[in-house]
PDB file of all heavy atoms in Angstrom:
ATOM      1  N   LEU A 642       0.804  -1.200  -0.006  1.00 98.00           N
ATOM      2  CA  LEU A 642       0.009  -0.015   0.002  1.00 98.00           C
ATOM      3  C   LEU A 642       0.847   1.278   0.015  1.00 98.00           C
ATOM      4  O   LEU A 642       0.326   2.343  -0.305  1.00 98.00           O
ATOM      5  CB  LEU A 642      -0.975   0.015   1.227  1.00 98.00           C
ATOM      6  CG  LEU A 642      -2.009  -1.140   1.185  1.00 98.00           C
ATOM      7  CD1 LEU A 642      -2.759  -1.183   2.489  1.00 98.00           C
ATOM      8  CD2 LEU A 642      -2.964  -0.968   0.009  1.00 98.00           C
ATOM      9  N   GLN A 643       2.137   1.170   0.404  1.00 97.00           N
ATOM     10  CA  GLN A 643       3.057   2.278   0.272  1.00 97.00           C
ATOM     11  C   GLN A 643       3.547   2.427  -1.200  1.00 97.00           C
ATOM     12  O   GLN A 643       3.859   3.512  -1.667  1.00 97.00           O
ATOM     13  CB  GLN A 643       4.267   2.056   1.178  1.00 97.00           C
ATOM     14  CG  GLN A 643       3.939   1.931   2.646  1.00 97.00           C
ATOM     15  CD  GLN A 643       3.208   3.114   3.217  1.00 97.00           C
ATOM     16  OE1 GLN A 643       3.703   4.217   3.127  1.00 97.00           O
ATOM     17  NE2 GLN A 643       2.076   2.861   3.827  1.00 97.00           N
ATOM     18  N   GLN A 644       3.608   1.268  -1.874  1.00 98.00           N
ATOM     19  CA  GLN A 644       4.109   1.264  -3.257  1.00 98.00           C
ATOM     20  C   GLN A 644       3.083   1.643  -4.312  1.00 98.00           C
ATOM     21  O   GLN A 644       3.394   2.191  -5.355  1.00 98.00           O
ATOM     22  CB  GLN A 644       4.662  -0.163  -3.603  1.00 98.00           C
ATOM     23  CG  GLN A 644       5.917  -0.514  -2.807  1.00 98.00           C
ATOM     24  CD  GLN A 644       6.237  -1.975  -2.856  1.00 98.00           C
ATOM     25  OE1 GLN A 644       5.380  -2.815  -2.534  1.00 98.00           O
ATOM     26  NE2 GLN A 644       7.470  -2.323  -3.286  1.00 98.00           N
ATOM     27  N   GLU A 645       1.816   1.353  -4.007  1.00 97.00           N
ATOM     28  CA  GLU A 645       0.706   1.571  -4.962  1.00 97.00           C
ATOM     29  C   GLU A 645      -0.551   1.769  -4.131  1.00 97.00           C
ATOM     30  O   GLU A 645      -0.746   1.078  -3.195  1.00 97.00           O
ATOM     31  CB  GLU A 645       0.624   0.472  -5.969  1.00 97.00           C
ATOM     32  CG  GLU A 645      -0.368   0.690  -7.112  1.00 97.00           C
ATOM     33  CD  GLU A 645       0.117   1.714  -8.121  1.00 97.00           C
ATOM     34  OE1 GLU A 645       1.385   1.747  -8.364  1.00 97.00           O
ATOM     35  OE2 GLU A 645      -0.698   2.409  -8.705  1.00 97.00           O
ATOM     36  N   ALA A 646      -1.450   2.654  -4.563  1.00 95.00           N
ATOM     37  CA  ALA A 646      -2.614   2.969  -3.779  1.00 95.00           C
ATOM     38  C   ALA A 646      -3.894   2.655  -4.514  1.00 95.00           C
ATOM     39  O   ALA A 646      -3.864   2.293  -5.728  1.00 95.00           O
ATOM     40  CB  ALA A 646      -2.611   4.434  -3.394  1.00 95.00           C
ATOM     41  N   ASN A 647      -5.020   2.756  -3.842  1.00 96.00           N
ATOM     42  CA  ASN A 647      -6.368   2.700  -4.390  1.00 96.00           C
ATOM     43  C   ASN A 647      -6.692   1.335  -5.075  1.00 96.00           C
ATOM     44  O   ASN A 647      -7.302   1.305  -6.146  1.00 96.00           O
ATOM     45  CB  ASN A 647      -6.580   3.819  -5.409  1.00 96.00           C
ATOM     46  CG  ASN A 647      -6.374   5.152  -4.776  1.00 96.00           C
ATOM     47  OD1 ASN A 647      -6.857   5.459  -3.684  1.00 96.00           O
ATOM     48  ND2 ASN A 647      -5.630   6.020  -5.490  1.00 96.00           N
ATOM     49  N   PHE A 648      -6.325   0.275  -4.382  1.00 98.00           N
ATOM     50  CA  PHE A 648      -6.743  -1.045  -4.871  1.00 98.00           C
ATOM     51  C   PHE A 648      -8.208  -1.317  -4.536  1.00 98.00           C
ATOM     52  O   PHE A 648      -8.663  -1.043  -3.462  1.00 98.00           O
ATOM     53  CB  PHE A 648      -5.847  -2.135  -4.219  1.00 98.00           C
ATOM     54  CG  PHE A 648      -4.445  -2.177  -4.745  1.00 98.00           C
ATOM     55  CD1 PHE A 648      -3.393  -1.695  -3.980  1.00 98.00           C
ATOM     56  CD2 PHE A 648      -4.198  -2.677  -6.011  1.00 98.00           C
ATOM     57  CE1 PHE A 648      -2.110  -1.757  -4.442  1.00 98.00           C
ATOM     58  CE2 PHE A 648      -2.872  -2.693  -6.499  1.00 98.00           C
ATOM     59  CZ  PHE A 648      -1.811  -2.243  -5.725  1.00 98.00           C
ATOM     60  N   ASP A 649      -8.902  -1.932  -5.475  1.00 98.00           N
ATOM     61  CA  ASP A 649     -10.227  -2.425  -5.183  1.00 98.00           C
ATOM     62  C   ASP A 649     -10.197  -3.737  -4.411  1.00 98.00           C
ATOM     63  O   ASP A 649     -11.013  -3.944  -3.542  1.00 98.00           O
ATOM     64  CB  ASP A 649     -10.987  -2.634  -6.531  1.00 98.00           C
ATOM     65  CG  ASP A 649     -11.187  -1.342  -7.296  1.00 98.00           C
ATOM     66  OD1 ASP A 649     -11.868  -0.466  -6.740  1.00 98.00           O
ATOM     67  OD2 ASP A 649     -10.649  -1.189  -8.405  1.00 98.00           O
ATOM     68  N   TYR A 650      -9.223  -4.613  -4.761  1.00 98.00           N
ATOM     69  CA  TYR A 650      -9.129  -5.874  -4.111  1.00 98.00           C
ATOM     70  C   TYR A 650      -7.669  -6.227  -3.851  1.00 98.00           C
ATOM     71  O   TYR A 650      -6.767  -5.874  -4.658  1.00 98.00           O
ATOM     72  CB  TYR A 650      -9.705  -7.008  -5.003  1.00 98.00           C
ATOM     73  CG  TYR A 650     -11.161  -6.863  -5.329  1.00 98.00           C
ATOM     74  CD1 TYR A 650     -11.586  -6.350  -6.544  1.00 98.00           C
ATOM     75  CD2 TYR A 650     -12.135  -7.286  -4.396  1.00 98.00           C
ATOM     76  CE1 TYR A 650     -12.969  -6.216  -6.865  1.00 98.00           C
ATOM     77  CE2 TYR A 650     -13.467  -7.185  -4.724  1.00 98.00           C
ATOM     78  CZ  TYR A 650     -13.871  -6.654  -5.925  1.00 98.00           C
ATOM     79  OH  TYR A 650     -15.229  -6.509  -6.188  1.00 98.00           O
ATOM     80  N   ILE A 651      -7.451  -6.905  -2.761  1.00 98.00           N
ATOM     81  CA  ILE A 651      -6.180  -7.618  -2.479  1.00 98.00           C
ATOM     82  C   ILE A 651      -6.499  -9.071  -2.305  1.00 98.00           C
ATOM     83  O   ILE A 651      -7.409  -9.473  -1.551  1.00 98.00           O
ATOM     84  CB  ILE A 651      -5.450  -7.095  -1.216  1.00 98.00           C
ATOM     85  CG1 ILE A 651      -5.071  -5.614  -1.404  1.00 98.00           C
ATOM     86  CG2 ILE A 651      -4.174  -7.892  -0.993  1.00 98.00           C
ATOM     87  CD1 ILE A 651      -4.492  -4.995  -0.176  1.00 98.00           C
ATOM     88  N   ILE A 652      -5.740  -9.923  -2.988  1.00 98.00           N
ATOM     89  CA  ILE A 652      -6.022 -11.356  -3.026  1.00 98.00           C
ATOM     90  C   ILE A 652      -4.822 -12.099  -2.385  1.00 98.00           C
ATOM     91  O   ILE A 652      -3.685 -11.839  -2.739  1.00 98.00           O
ATOM     92  CB  ILE A 652      -6.269 -11.868  -4.401  1.00 98.00           C
ATOM     93  CG1 ILE A 652      -7.462 -11.109  -5.043  1.00 98.00           C
ATOM     94  CG2 ILE A 652      -6.620 -13.379  -4.388  1.00 98.00           C
ATOM     95  CD1 ILE A 652      -7.718 -11.480  -6.422  1.00 98.00           C
ATOM     96  N   CYS A 653      -5.094 -13.021  -1.462  1.00 98.00           N
ATOM     97  CA  CYS A 653      -4.091 -13.848  -0.839  1.00 98.00           C
ATOM     98  C   CYS A 653      -4.476 -15.282  -0.919  1.00 98.00           C
ATOM     99  O   CYS A 653      -5.618 -15.667  -0.824  1.00 98.00           O
ATOM    100  CB  CYS A 653      -3.938 -13.544   0.670  1.00 98.00           C
ATOM    101  SG  CYS A 653      -3.636 -11.823   1.085  1.00 98.00           S
ATOM    102  N   PRO A 654      -3.478 -16.171  -1.103  1.00 98.00           N
ATOM    103  CA  PRO A 654      -3.774 -17.612  -0.902  1.00 98.00           C
ATOM    104  C   PRO A 654      -3.998 -17.854   0.591  1.00 98.00           C
ATOM    105  O   PRO A 654      -3.465 -17.171   1.434  1.00 98.00           O
ATOM    106  CB  PRO A 654      -2.487 -18.247  -1.431  1.00 98.00           C
ATOM    107  CG  PRO A 654      -1.402 -17.243  -1.217  1.00 98.00           C
ATOM    108  CD  PRO A 654      -2.069 -15.898  -1.433  1.00 98.00           C
ATOM    109  N   ILE A 655      -4.887 -18.841   0.847  1.00 97.00           N
ATOM    110  CA  ILE A 655      -5.171 -19.202   2.271  1.00 97.00           C
ATOM    111  C   ILE A 655      -4.720 -20.645   2.571  1.00 97.00           C
ATOM    112  O   ILE A 655      -5.150 -21.555   1.919  1.00 97.00           O
ATOM    113  CB  ILE A 655      -6.682 -19.104   2.581  1.00 97.00           C
ATOM    114  CG1 ILE A 655      -7.188 -17.714   2.297  1.00 97.00           C
ATOM    115  CG2 ILE A 655      -6.901 -19.444   4.032  1.00 97.00           C
ATOM    116  CD1 ILE A 655      -8.643 -17.526   2.682  1.00 97.00           C
ATOM    117  N   GLY A 656      -3.801 -20.773   3.558  1.00 94.00           N
ATOM    118  CA  GLY A 656      -3.457 -22.055   4.107  1.00 94.00           C
ATOM    119  C   GLY A 656      -3.837 -22.024   5.568  1.00 94.00           C
ATOM    120  O   GLY A 656      -4.988 -22.301   5.951  1.00 94.00           O
ATOM    121  N   GLY A 657      -2.884 -21.653   6.386  1.00 94.00           N
ATOM    122  CA  GLY A 657      -3.149 -21.541   7.854  1.00 94.00           C
ATOM    123  C   GLY A 657      -3.854 -20.274   8.222  1.00 94.00           C
ATOM    124  O   GLY A 657      -4.428 -20.170   9.272  1.00 94.00           O
ATOM    125  N   GLY A 658      -3.842 -19.274   7.316  1.00 97.00           N
ATOM    126  CA  GLY A 658      -4.574 -18.027   7.511  1.00 97.00           C
ATOM    127  C   GLY A 658      -3.826 -16.863   8.045  1.00 97.00           C
ATOM    128  O   GLY A 658      -4.391 -15.780   8.185  1.00 97.00           O
ATOM    129  N   GLY A 659      -2.506 -16.984   8.334  1.00 97.00           N
ATOM    130  CA  GLY A 659      -1.753 -15.947   8.864  1.00 97.00           C
ATOM    131  C   GLY A 659      -1.564 -14.757   7.924  1.00 97.00           C
ATOM    132  O   GLY A 659      -1.662 -13.588   8.313  1.00 97.00           O
ATOM    133  N   LEU A 660      -1.236 -15.043   6.655  1.00 98.00           N
ATOM    134  CA  LEU A 660      -1.016 -13.989   5.658  1.00 98.00           C
ATOM    135  C   LEU A 660      -2.298 -13.157   5.439  1.00 98.00           C
ATOM    136  O   LEU A 660      -2.249 -11.948   5.468  1.00 98.00           O
ATOM    137  CB  LEU A 660      -0.520 -14.562   4.349  1.00 98.00           C
ATOM    138  CG  LEU A 660      -0.380 -13.560   3.177  1.00 98.00           C
ATOM    139  CD1 LEU A 660       0.623 -12.479   3.563  1.00 98.00           C
ATOM    140  CD2 LEU A 660       0.043 -14.315   1.924  1.00 98.00           C
ATOM    141  N   ILE A 661      -3.409 -13.843   5.200  1.00 98.00           N
ATOM    142  CA  ILE A 661      -4.626 -13.108   4.908  1.00 98.00           C
ATOM    143  C   ILE A 661      -5.107 -12.349   6.096  1.00 98.00           C
ATOM    144  O   ILE A 661      -5.644 -11.217   6.008  1.00 98.00           O
ATOM    145  CB  ILE A 661      -5.695 -14.005   4.279  1.00 98.00           C
ATOM    146  CG1 ILE A 661      -6.753 -13.155   3.603  1.00 98.00           C
ATOM    147  CG2 ILE A 661      -6.294 -14.960   5.284  1.00 98.00           C
ATOM    148  CD1 ILE A 661      -7.703 -13.893   2.676  1.00 98.00           C
ATOM    149  N   ALA A 662      -4.965 -12.929   7.282  1.00 98.00           N
ATOM    150  CA  ALA A 662      -5.388 -12.183   8.517  1.00 98.00           C
ATOM    151  C   ALA A 662      -4.548 -10.913   8.733  1.00 98.00           C
ATOM    152  O   ALA A 662      -5.084  -9.908   9.054  1.00 98.00           O
ATOM    153  CB  ALA A 662      -5.275 -13.121   9.738  1.00 98.00           C
ATOM    154  N   GLY A 663      -3.258 -11.044   8.593  1.00 98.00           N
ATOM    155  CA  GLY A 663      -2.353  -9.904   8.706  1.00 98.00           C
ATOM    156  C   GLY A 663      -2.643  -8.813   7.639  1.00 98.00           C
ATOM    157  O   GLY A 663      -2.702  -7.649   7.909  1.00 98.00           O
ATOM    158  N   THR A 664      -2.966  -9.298   6.428  1.00 98.00           N
ATOM    159  CA  THR A 664      -3.343  -8.356   5.332  1.00 98.00           C
ATOM    160  C   THR A 664      -4.615  -7.632   5.723  1.00 98.00           C
ATOM    161  O   THR A 664      -4.722  -6.403   5.442  1.00 98.00           O
ATOM    162  CB  THR A 664      -3.521  -9.213   4.034  1.00 98.00           C
ATOM    163  OG1 THR A 664      -2.279  -9.813   3.677  1.00 98.00           O
ATOM    164  CG2 THR A 664      -3.985  -8.305   2.899  1.00 98.00           C
ATOM    165  N   CYS A 665      -5.588  -8.349   6.272  1.00 98.00           N
ATOM    166  CA  CYS A 665      -6.825  -7.735   6.670  1.00 98.00           C
ATOM    167  C   CYS A 665      -6.581  -6.588   7.708  1.00 98.00           C
ATOM    168  O   CYS A 665      -7.138  -5.484   7.567  1.00 98.00           O
ATOM    169  CB  CYS A 665      -7.761  -8.730   7.327  1.00 98.00           C
ATOM    170  SG  CYS A 665      -8.496  -9.958   6.165  1.00 98.00           S
ATOM    171  N   LEU A 666      -5.757  -6.870   8.676  1.00 98.00           N
ATOM    172  CA  LEU A 666      -5.481  -5.880   9.768  1.00 98.00           C
ATOM    173  C   LEU A 666      -4.864  -4.579   9.168  1.00 98.00           C
ATOM    174  O   LEU A 666      -5.244  -3.464   9.550  1.00 98.00           O
ATOM    175  CB  LEU A 666      -4.604  -6.480  10.799  1.00 98.00           C
ATOM    176  CG  LEU A 666      -5.204  -7.649  11.613  1.00 98.00           C
ATOM    177  CD1 LEU A 666      -4.168  -8.206  12.547  1.00 98.00           C
ATOM    178  CD2 LEU A 666      -6.465  -7.145  12.359  1.00 98.00           C
ATOM    179  N   PHE A 667      -3.886  -4.762   8.280  1.00 98.00           N
ATOM    180  CA  PHE A 667      -3.209  -3.578   7.719  1.00 98.00           C
ATOM    181  C   PHE A 667      -4.103  -2.886   6.701  1.00 98.00           C
ATOM    182  O   PHE A 667      -4.129  -1.625   6.671  1.00 98.00           O
ATOM    183  CB  PHE A 667      -1.874  -3.954   7.107  1.00 98.00           C
ATOM    184  CG  PHE A 667      -0.702  -4.092   8.079  1.00 98.00           C
ATOM    185  CD1 PHE A 667      -0.537  -5.258   8.805  1.00 98.00           C
ATOM    186  CD2 PHE A 667       0.095  -3.010   8.288  1.00 98.00           C
ATOM    187  CE1 PHE A 667       0.487  -5.355   9.747  1.00 98.00           C
ATOM    188  CE2 PHE A 667       1.174  -3.086   9.186  1.00 98.00           C
ATOM    189  CZ  PHE A 667       1.360  -4.261   9.949  1.00 98.00           C
ATOM    190  N   ALA A 668      -4.773  -3.645   5.880  1.00 98.00           N
ATOM    191  CA  ALA A 668      -5.673  -2.980   4.861  1.00 98.00           C
ATOM    192  C   ALA A 668      -6.778  -2.259   5.553  1.00 98.00           C
ATOM    193  O   ALA A 668      -7.181  -1.152   5.086  1.00 98.00           O
ATOM    194  CB  ALA A 668      -6.229  -4.066   3.891  1.00 98.00           C
ATOM    195  N   ASN A 669      -7.346  -2.776   6.613  1.00 97.00           N
ATOM    196  CA  ASN A 669      -8.434  -2.131   7.307  1.00 97.00           C
ATOM    197  C   ASN A 669      -8.003  -0.723   7.866  1.00 97.00           C
ATOM    198  O   ASN A 669      -8.811   0.170   7.881  1.00 97.00           O
ATOM    199  CB  ASN A 669      -8.877  -2.997   8.507  1.00 97.00           C
ATOM    200  CG  ASN A 669     -10.041  -2.390   9.253  1.00 97.00           C
ATOM    201  OD1 ASN A 669     -11.095  -2.154   8.674  1.00 97.00           O
ATOM    202  ND2 ASN A 669      -9.872  -2.194  10.514  1.00 97.00           N
ATOM    203  N   GLN A 670      -6.740  -0.613   8.234  1.00 97.00           N
ATOM    204  CA  GLN A 670      -6.293   0.691   8.753  1.00 97.00           C
ATOM    205  C   GLN A 670      -5.786   1.592   7.687  1.00 97.00           C
ATOM    206  O   GLN A 670      -5.940   2.813   7.782  1.00 97.00           O
ATOM    207  CB  GLN A 670      -5.106   0.377   9.771  1.00 97.00           C
ATOM    208  CG  GLN A 670      -5.536  -0.239  11.044  1.00 97.00           C
ATOM    209  CD  GLN A 670      -6.362   0.712  11.909  1.00 97.00           C
ATOM    210  OE1 GLN A 670      -6.273   1.922  11.883  1.00 97.00           O
ATOM    211  NE2 GLN A 670      -7.323   0.150  12.707  1.00 97.00           N
ATOM    212  N   PHE A 671      -5.102   1.071   6.672  1.00 98.00           N
ATOM    213  CA  PHE A 671      -4.431   1.992   5.724  1.00 98.00           C
ATOM    214  C   PHE A 671      -5.128   2.045   4.370  1.00 98.00           C
ATOM    215  O   PHE A 671      -4.787   2.888   3.560  1.00 98.00           O
ATOM    216  CB  PHE A 671      -2.977   1.463   5.497  1.00 98.00           C
ATOM    217  CG  PHE A 671      -2.136   1.583   6.751  1.00 98.00           C
ATOM    218  CD1 PHE A 671      -1.919   0.491   7.563  1.00 98.00           C
ATOM    219  CD2 PHE A 671      -1.585   2.797   7.102  1.00 98.00           C
ATOM    220  CE1 PHE A 671      -1.175   0.596   8.723  1.00 98.00           C
ATOM    221  CE2 PHE A 671      -0.813   2.888   8.231  1.00 98.00           C
ATOM    222  CZ  PHE A 671      -0.635   1.829   9.070  1.00 98.00           C
ATOM    223  N   SER A 672      -6.094   1.182   4.073  1.00 98.00           N
ATOM    224  CA  SER A 672      -6.896   1.252   2.856  1.00 98.00           C
ATOM    225  C   SER A 672      -8.241   0.560   3.077  1.00 98.00           C
ATOM    226  O   SER A 672      -8.545  -0.439   2.467  1.00 98.00           O
ATOM    227  CB  SER A 672      -6.121   0.511   1.737  1.00 98.00           C
ATOM    228  OG  SER A 672      -6.750   0.679   0.478  1.00 98.00           O
ATOM    229  N   PRO A 673      -9.082   1.188   3.910  1.00 97.00           N
ATOM    230  CA  PRO A 673     -10.294   0.540   4.325  1.00 97.00           C
ATOM    231  C   PRO A 673     -11.330   0.276   3.285  1.00 97.00           C
ATOM    232  O   PRO A 673     -12.198  -0.620   3.422  1.00 97.00           O
ATOM    233  CB  PRO A 673     -10.844   1.535   5.395  1.00 97.00           C
ATOM    234  CG  PRO A 673     -10.155   2.857   5.103  1.00 97.00           C
ATOM    235  CD  PRO A 673      -8.838   2.525   4.563  1.00 97.00           C
TER     236      PRO A 673
END
């Protein structure tokens, strides 16, 4: 989100869920 802004969607693969959960937390604050 520092490199490029205004995304409609961010897509993550889901295994254990750590990457997508962390992505949710940061996106919610910096690109709600």
Side-chain angles (χ1 to χ4, degrees):
L642 295 172
Q643 302 300 306
Q644 292 165 304
E645 188 72 33
N647 302 316
F648 287 106
D649 296 297
Y650 298 100
I651 298 175
I652 304 175
C653 304
I655 301 183
L660 174 62
I661 196 165
T664 297
C665 287
L666 294 175
F667 277 84
N669 182 57
Q670 289 293 330
F671 296 98
S672 186

